[in-house]
């Protein structure tokens, strides 16, 4: 796939078929992810791959409850309250796989994870798969219970939970606002 087509065609996918994502496909996506730049070339990434629906269901339920608890004291948009209270709402949109990118703690751990995440999502699109960053999962994954569920080593922080799978339906483009440009010639 051409680069421009990948960049412009990738979409956050919120409906998946149950078709499993084979291990070699996941490994190819991770190989693309680690082509991202990293600060001081530390390559401090850790990838947790979850394909157990039972575990994904458990994380979805726990993360929704956790978000509702922490929302009051955070800047998280309150209009999402209703969704989180809906027992039918699955934060992973029933995706067959979740890849959580974690990074070793450091000054740039968020940047390092995020660049790898974008590579991974573009590579997924190139492979005919949908993906979506699931911010709803982040706060719970950072808790000791969440870290335990991920099997995270000490000093690693979970940053990017990404669903992966075959999209159930084509996802329409999301319009972009005009960028705010400030030229200093
Ligand atoms: C940090 C971050 C957190 C996000 N969290 C969620 C989420 O919890 N659930 C979800 O369905 N989409 C989530 N998204 C996807 C955005 O809603 C999506 O990128 C945006 O609507 C633009 O659509 P596009 O990705 O198709 O261009 C998240 C995206 C980012 C970058």
């Amino acid at each position: 796939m051409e680069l421009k087509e990948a960049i412009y065609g990738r979409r956050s996918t919120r409906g998946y078929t149950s078709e499993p994502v084979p291990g070699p496909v996941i490994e190819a996506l991770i190989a693309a992810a680690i082509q991202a730049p990293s600060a001081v070339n530390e390559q401090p990434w850790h990838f947790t791959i979850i394909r157990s629906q039972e575990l994904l269901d458990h994380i979805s339920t726990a993360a929704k409850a956790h978000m509702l608890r922490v929302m009051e004291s955070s800047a998280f948009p309150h209009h999402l309250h209703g969704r989180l209270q809906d027992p039918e709402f699955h934060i992973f949109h029933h995706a067959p796989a979740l890849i959580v990118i974690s990074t070793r703690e450091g000054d740039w751990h968020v940047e390092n994870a995020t660049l790898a995440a974008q590579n991974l999502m573009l590579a997924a699109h190139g492979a005919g798969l949908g993906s979506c960053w699931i911010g709803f999962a982040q706060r719970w994954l950072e808790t000791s219970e969440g870290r335990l569920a991920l099997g995270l080593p000490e000093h690693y922080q979970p940053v990017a939970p990404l669903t992966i799978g075959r999209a159930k339906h084509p996802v329409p483009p999301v319009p972009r606002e005009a960028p705010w440009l400030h030229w200093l010639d």
Side-chain angles (χ1 to χ4, degrees), residues 5-91:
E5 195 186 336
I7 291 173
Y8 282 76
R10 179 213 56 80
R11 291 274 72 83
S12 292
T13 300
R14 300 187 178 89
Y16 295 91
T17 69
S18 56
E19 185 183 326
V21 189
V25 172
I26 301 243
E27 283 166 17
L29 300 183
I30 292 172
I34 64 167
Q35 301 311 310
S38 62
V40 208
N41 190 29
E42 280 194 335
Q43 306 182 33
W45 301 292
H46 176 280
F47 298 88
T48 310
I49 300 110
I50 307 176
R51 290 186 294 179
S52 151
Q53 280 308 307
E54 204 184 335
L55 183 53
L56 290 173
D57 293 348
H58 168 69
I59 298 177
S60 175
T61 305
K64 281 162 68 182
H66 186 73
M67 279 305 293
L68 285 167
R69 280 194 300 272
V70 299
M71 231 174 192
E72 297 308 326
S73 55
S74 77
F76 203 83
H78 275 235
H79 69 270
L80 295 169
H81 238 117
R83 295 211 81 188
L84 291 166
Q85 278 167 333
D86 178 358
E88 294 299 309
F89 174 58
H90 196 286
I91 65 166

Side-chain angles (χ1 to χ4, degrees), residues 10-12 14 93 132-136 138 174 176:
R10 179 213 56 80
R11 291 274 72 83
S12 292
R14 300 187 178 89
H93 310 291
C132 190
W133 181 312
I134 306 297
F136 275 148
Q138 281 176 253
V174 176
R176 293 308 199 245

Side-chain angles (χ1 to χ4, degrees), residues 50 59 63 66 92 98 100 134 137-150 152 158 160-161:
I50 307 176
I59 298 177
H66 186 73
F92 301 124
L98 181 78
V100 181
I134 306 297
Q138 281 176 253
R139 295 293 84 84
W140 183 80
L141 290 174
E142 289 164 0
T143 65
S144 49
E145 207 188 330
R147 297 178 58 87
L148 196 67
L150 292 179
L152 260 193

Side-chain angles (χ1 to χ4, degrees), residues 109-122:
H109 81 266
V110 174
E111 291 83 347
N112 290 331
T114 305
L115 286 162
Q118 178 70 344
N119 267 18
L120 198 152
M121 291 190 286
L122 290 176

